[in-house]
Amino acid sequence: MILKSKIIKFIQNNLYAVSLYARQIAGTLVLFVIARYLSVYDYGLFSSYKAITSFILLFACMGYNEYILVSCKKNVDLVRKKIALFLINAFCILALTSLVSYFVPIELHFIFILVLLRVFFDNTFFTLILPYFQSANKFFVISYINIVYALGVILITAISYIFKLSLLKFLILSCIVGCINFIHCSFYAKLNYVDAIKNLKKYFKLIDKTIFHYMGVLVAFLLYSQIPSLYVSCFLTKQDAALYFSAFSIAGVINLFIAAQNQKMVPEMINASIAKVKNILKQNFILVMSINLLVLLTFLLVGKIILFLIYGNMYYQNGYWLLIIFTLSNIGLALANVYGAYMTSNGKQYLKIKMQIEAIFITIIIILLFQVVNGLYAAAFAYFSSGLYIGIRYYMKTKELLMRDAKQSSQL
């Protein structure tokens, strides 16, 4: 009974993180299940389109979610207006990308557009609307929305597997669920898209120049983190891409928990005392690192078995060492998320740009050096090296800022 009550209390205290896990598990389950009945080529095609559209849609949310939260200082009405403006921008990017796709050599244009919409509903929209729930302190509400959405995705996945639906039909069903979630959240947050369109000039005046700090950080981030995936998607075979993304998807499950902790930490540290900030950082560091090390140990022991059980194909066992490399990468990314949260909450997002530019060069150099030997591992090592570098640099910079801020606070 004591253990049961502790588990219930843990879930209640971490419901938001649990809900994000539900979304991630549902999303990952999609990849695992469709890989079991689609051909390796089709799975590689879907994974490649997903990587490309994810890269494109990063331009629809270039750190805008963090900018909205920090710049509005929890003014809910102002948050709503900025979210509406940035979502309109996202709609324009969706339309432009869909149009341009018909003029470039893409094998299946309609599939590409459906993947684009799925990624928007599954990631971009959620990221852009999140500041409303953060500023309104409605983590329980967004948690339940996430859980319902995850159940919808799981239902679609089950139907697709049972009836062996084609990739086209699976994507159409996914977009329908995403569209329903989009409409529901927009109404709940009371986002007025019509007013934003009618008064674009007025809404644009709400944006200040600090947004460029967030854009710069996101551009640098997407370059050093997405270059390996784009390299695999564009230059390696679809079979190699399937192997790379199969391992990447499993290792990436932990990253949503890391992101959830970051999203909770940022609003908690806004205008907080140095003592409280240090306590938040310490608690989250211990929690995140403990879980990462446990996951790493699990994959080291039974990684090949997990790959085979999940994908149901002996071919994917060849991704064992890729899985280990990606899991090690998560340790650096976890360090970056925990300590980078302080720079974000403290309005010093611009400090990340230089460090991320350095990581970009590391990524490119490693791919160029090792691609001749093995393109797959060149991409994997590039991802690992840049993630570890960023983690160490964020840690050192945050410690420096905390010492300086503590000294200034004591002098007041």
Side-chain angles (χ1 to χ4, degrees), residues 14 19 38 42 46 63 123 162 174 196 253 303 344 371 384 391 403:
N14 297 275
S19 75
L38 289 180
D42 283 343
F46 171 73
N123 296 319
I162 293 170
S174 297
V253 170
T344 301
Q371 67 171 332
F384 165 74
M403 289 178 62

Side-chain angles (χ1 to χ4, degrees), residues 7 55 71 76 101 114 118 148 168 178 232 239 248 260 275 280 284 290 292 301 306 315 335 354 388 394:
I7 292 173
F55 178 83
S71 65
V76 177
S101 70
L114 288 175
R118 183 181 181 275
V148 171
L168 173 64
V232 170
Q239 287 75 16
F248 191 85
I280 292 171
N284 281 274
S290 298
N292 267 286
L301 295 174
I306 291 173
Y315 173 76
L335 194 65
K354 179 183 176 182
L388 182 62
Y394 278 19

Side-chain angles (χ1 to χ4, degrees), residues 90-362:
F91 300 151
C92 293
I93 291 174
L94 281 173
L96 182 62
T97 303
S98 299
L99 178 63
V100 171
S101 70
Y102 282 95
F103 299 95
V104 294
I106 292 177
E107 295 172 65
L108 300 170
H109 290 93
F110 190 55
I111 293 291
F112 177 82
I113 292 171
L114 288 175
V115 172
L116 177 70
L117 289 172
R118 183 181 181 275
V119 172
F120 169 76
F121 289 131
D122 199 48
N123 296 319
T124 310
F125 171 68
F126 170 76
T127 303
L128 284 172
I129 202 169
L130 180 61
Y132 166 75
F133 296 96
Q134 289 175 306
S135 60
N137 199 28
K138 293 185 177 182
F139 282 102
F140 277 98
V141 176
I142 190 61
S143 297
Y144 290 121
I145 289 173
N146 282 338
I147 291 170
V148 171
Y149 177 80
L151 291 174
V153 171
I154 290 172
L155 178 61
I156 285 174
T157 304
I159 292 172
S160 299
Y161 181 73
I162 293 170
F163 296 101
K164 298 295 184 291
L165 299 184
S166 65
L167 181 58
L168 173 64
K169 292 178 181 177
F170 160 74
L171 289 172
I172 290 174
L173 288 176
S174 297
C175 289
I176 290 172
V177 170
C179 187
I180 292 171
N181 181 66
F182 166 80
I183 294 171
H184 173 248
C185 288
S186 294
F187 273 107
Y188 185 87
K190 298 178 182 177
L191 300 181
N192 195 333
Y193 300 113
V194 175
D195 184 64
I197 293 172
K198 288 181 178 178
N199 300 283
L200 275 179
K201 187 174 181 180
K202 177 184 174 182
Y203 275 65
F204 272 119
K205 288 182 179 179
L206 299 175
I207 310 301
D208 61 80
K209 63 182 181 181
T210 60
I211 192 174
F212 292 111
H213 299 157
Y214 296 87
M215 292 173 67
V217 168
L218 202 285
V219 169
F221 167 75
L222 70 87
L223 285 173
Y224 82 76
S225 65
Q226 296 296 317
I227 283 174
S229 294
L230 289 171
Y231 166 75
V232 170
S233 298
C234 298
F235 296 104
L236 301 186
T237 66
K238 295 299 184 237
Q239 287 75 16
D240 280 346
L243 195 65
Y244 181 93
F245 290 113
S246 64
F248 191 85
S249 297
I250 296 175
V253 170
I254 189 64
N255 287 331
L256 210 69
F257 174 75
I258 296 170
Q261 294 306 112
N262 178 278
Q263 290 164 4
K264 289 183 67 179
M265 288 171 65
V266 171
E268 287 176 0
M269 291 192 291
I270 293 176
N271 299 324
S273 65
I274 297 299
K276 182 178 179 181
V277 166
K278 287 183 177 179
N279 187 49
I280 292 171
L281 291 173
K282 181 180 178 181
Q283 289 180 348
N284 281 274
F285 173 79
I286 293 172
L287 176 62
V288 169
M289 286 303 172
S290 298
I291 293 175
N292 267 286
L293 290 174
L294 179 62
V295 171
L296 175 61
L297 179 61
T298 301
F299 288 160
L300 281 169
L301 295 174
V302 293
K304 283 192 175 183
I305 296 174
I306 291 173
L307 284 163
F308 174 71
L309 289 177
I310 288 175
Y311 293 107
N313 189 324
M314 293 292 290
Y315 173 76
Y316 292 106
Q317 286 189 327
N318 296 322
Y320 173 77
W321 286 110
L322 291 172
L323 178 64
I324 300 303
I325 294 169
F326 292 140
T327 307
L328 286 170
S329 304
N330 291 337
I331 295 175
L333 294 172
L335 194 65
N337 270 275
V338 170
Y339 287 94
Y342 178 67
M343 284 185 274
T344 301
S345 66
N346 205 26
K348 293 184 171 63
Q349 190 82 339
Y350 63 91
L351 293 175
K352 297 179 181 179
I353 299 175
K354 179 183 176 182
M355 294 178 275
Q356 291 187 333
I357 290 174
E358 293 165 358
I360 292 171
F361 283 106
I362 290 173

Side-chain angles (χ1 to χ4, degrees), residues 378-393:
F381 279 121
Y383 184 80
F384 165 74
S385 301
S386 60
L388 182 62
Y389 178 80
I390 283 294
I392 294 171
R393 290 285 277 128

Side-chain angles (χ1 to χ4, degrees), residues 25-58:
I25 290 171
T28 305
L29 185 65
V30 167
L31 300 178
F32 296 162
V33 172
I34 65 173
R36 295 182 72 90
Y37 75 89
L38 289 180
S39 67
V40 172
Y41 176 83
D42 283 343
Y43 179 69
L45 184 75
F46 171 73
S47 299
S48 298
Y49 284 176
K50 185 174 180 290
I52 294 169
T53 54
S54 296
F55 178 83
I56 292 170
L57 285 173
L58 282 172

